[in-house]
């Protein structure tokens, strides 16, 4: 059975799924998105991603296309029709379809909704996590509202490609003070020399990762120390461990920064343990 997508009220074969050429998401990146990891067919960290979706939409004055309850049912139906147990769900909501004009359509048009579901090879992801990945650094060049999860991802795409070209998996943006903001599609963390977990505070221009937020609870319950404070690429290299978090990567050990090893240059025990604990917790919070 082939993949099924949801487009504006209809489930259609993935290959035939299309949006209008004047969808504002397509022309102006006037759209937001969310990504849920799927564990056993359920939406991991279900609630947190909905709260952030509503916030992103609110910040851009785009209406929720339907109630949270209705949207949950549609997302679940999309998952069911794709028969995916381990994977990801992508939801995009744009301001809608209207004659091209920078200002919002008047009168208002209904938001446009797209959902896709993809399978993830968890065994391959676990293998990659056991080996750890490399990251590169790149100057921060994004707009000032990275807290809103918009589809305006060109700097992120270019940074990720730069990483890919040198065999790295993620690119960390570095601000004008020489401090890491976050990854192109993940939050950045270290375990410092005292064993304290450190990730940047959300007063900075970063996305408030849902994986990051859930990991805070995991860390507290595990009795580990946590600091919301930025770090430089040099500090990451001299840290005991580094890792990234996100719905796609979960908790993924980082073993090198710009080709130079972090700590011993192997996937760290703290990151590996947090990965296991995070997955358990995300499953608990799956809806
Ligand atoms: N930062 C950026 C720029 C991202 O794209 C993502 C992935 N959505 C994250 C952080 C991690 O967020 P989450 O844990 O909610 O997936």
């Amino acid at each position: 059975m082939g993949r099924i997508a949801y487009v504006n009220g209809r489930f259609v074969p993935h290959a035939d799924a299309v949006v209008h050429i004047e969808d504002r998401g397509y022309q102006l990146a006037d759209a937001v998105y969310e990504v849920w990891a799927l564990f056993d067919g359920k939406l991991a960290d279900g609630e947190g991603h909905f709260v952030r979706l509503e916030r992103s939409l609110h910040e851009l004055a785009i209406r929720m296309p339907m109630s949270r309850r209705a949207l949950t049912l549609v997302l679940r139906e999309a998952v069911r029709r794709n028969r995916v147990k381990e994977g990801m769900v992508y939801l995009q909501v744009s301001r809608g379809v209207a004659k091209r004009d920078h200002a919002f359509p008047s009168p208002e048009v209904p938001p446009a909704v797209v959902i896709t579901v993809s399978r993830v090879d968890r065994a391959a992801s676990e293998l990659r996590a056991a080996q750890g990945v490399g990251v590169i650094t790149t100057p921060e060049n994004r707009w000032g509202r990275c807290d809103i999860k918009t589809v305006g991802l060109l700097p992120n795409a270019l940074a990720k490609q730069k990483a890919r070209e040198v065999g790295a998996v993620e690119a960390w943006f570095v601000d004008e003070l020489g401090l890491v903001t976050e990854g192109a599609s993940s939050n950045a963390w270290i375990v410092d020399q005292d064993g304290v977990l450190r990730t940047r505070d959300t007063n900075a221009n970063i996305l408030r990762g849902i994986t990051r937020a859930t990991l805070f609870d995991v860390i507290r319950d595990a009795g580990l120390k946590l600091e919301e404070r930025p770090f430089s690429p040099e500090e990451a290299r001299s840290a005991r461990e580094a890792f990234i978090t996100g719905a796609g990567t979960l908790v993924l050990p980082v073993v090198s920064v710009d080709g130079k090893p972090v700590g011993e240059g192997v996937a760290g025990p703290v990151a590996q343990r947090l990965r296991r604990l995070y997955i358990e917790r995300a499953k608990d919070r799956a809806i």
Side-chain angles (χ1 to χ4, degrees), residues 66 68 83 110 130 147 151 181 195 198 200 223 245 280:
M66 58 189 98
R68 194 193 288 194
R83 299 183 190 188
D147 59 309
V151 301
T181 52
R198 204 199 298 179
R200 189 148 194 169
T245 56
E280 273 171 34

Side-chain angles (χ1 to χ4, degrees), residues 8 19-20 22-34 53 57 60-65 90-98 105 108-115 149-151:
N8 296 322
V19 295
H20 194 277
E22 286 192 315
D23 186 304
R24 289 178 61 94
Y26 175 62
Q27 290 192 324
L28 301 161
D30 188 3
V32 305
Y33 73 106
E34 270 303 328
L53 171 71
L57 289 170
L60 299 184
I62 299 176
R63 267 193 293 121
M64 254 300 254
Y90 176 87
L91 164 72
Q92 178 170 321
V93 181
S94 87
R95 195 179 307 279
V97 175
E108 205 185 335
V109 294
V113 183
V114 168
I115 298 168
K149 199 163 170 61
T150 81
V151 301

Side-chain angles (χ1 to χ4, degrees), residues 20 57 86 152 154 254:
H20 194 277
L57 289 170
E86 302 300 315
L154 187 54
V254 168

Side-chain angles (χ1 to χ4, degrees), residues 153-260:
L153 292 172
L154 187 54
N156 309 57
L158 296 176
K160 193 73 105 174
Q161 176 59 22
K162 204 167 141 193
R164 190 75 47 88
E165 282 168 11
V166 296
V169 158
E170 181 58 302
W172 282 353
F173 290 111
V174 176
D175 69 13
E176 70 282 2
L177 297 174
L179 299 167
V180 174
T181 52
E182 64 180 329
S185 63
S186 61
N187 289 112
W189 298 69
I190 58 171
V191 183
D192 76 13
Q193 280 303 338
D194 301 320
V196 179
L197 286 141
R198 204 199 298 179
T199 191
R200 189 148 194 169
D201 58 279
T202 49
N203 296 321
N205 184 31
I206 63 168
L207 187 74
R208 298 166 190 183
I210 304 304
T211 316
R212 174 187 181 281
T214 294
L215 200 61
F216 275 25
D217 295 346
V218 168
I219 289 166
R220 197 188 328 105
D221 294 349
L224 298 169
K225 281 212 189 101
L226 169 74
E227 242 185 296
E228 284 186 85
R229 187 157 70 85
F231 54 84
S232 65
E234 296 72 36
E235 282 178 287
R237 279 191 294 266
S238 56
R240 277 194 205 160
E241 298 182 29
F243 61 92
I244 55 176
T245 56
T249 44
L250 308 176
V251 176
L252 186 59
V254 168
V255 295
S256 71
V257 175
D258 290 328
K260 297 182 202 93

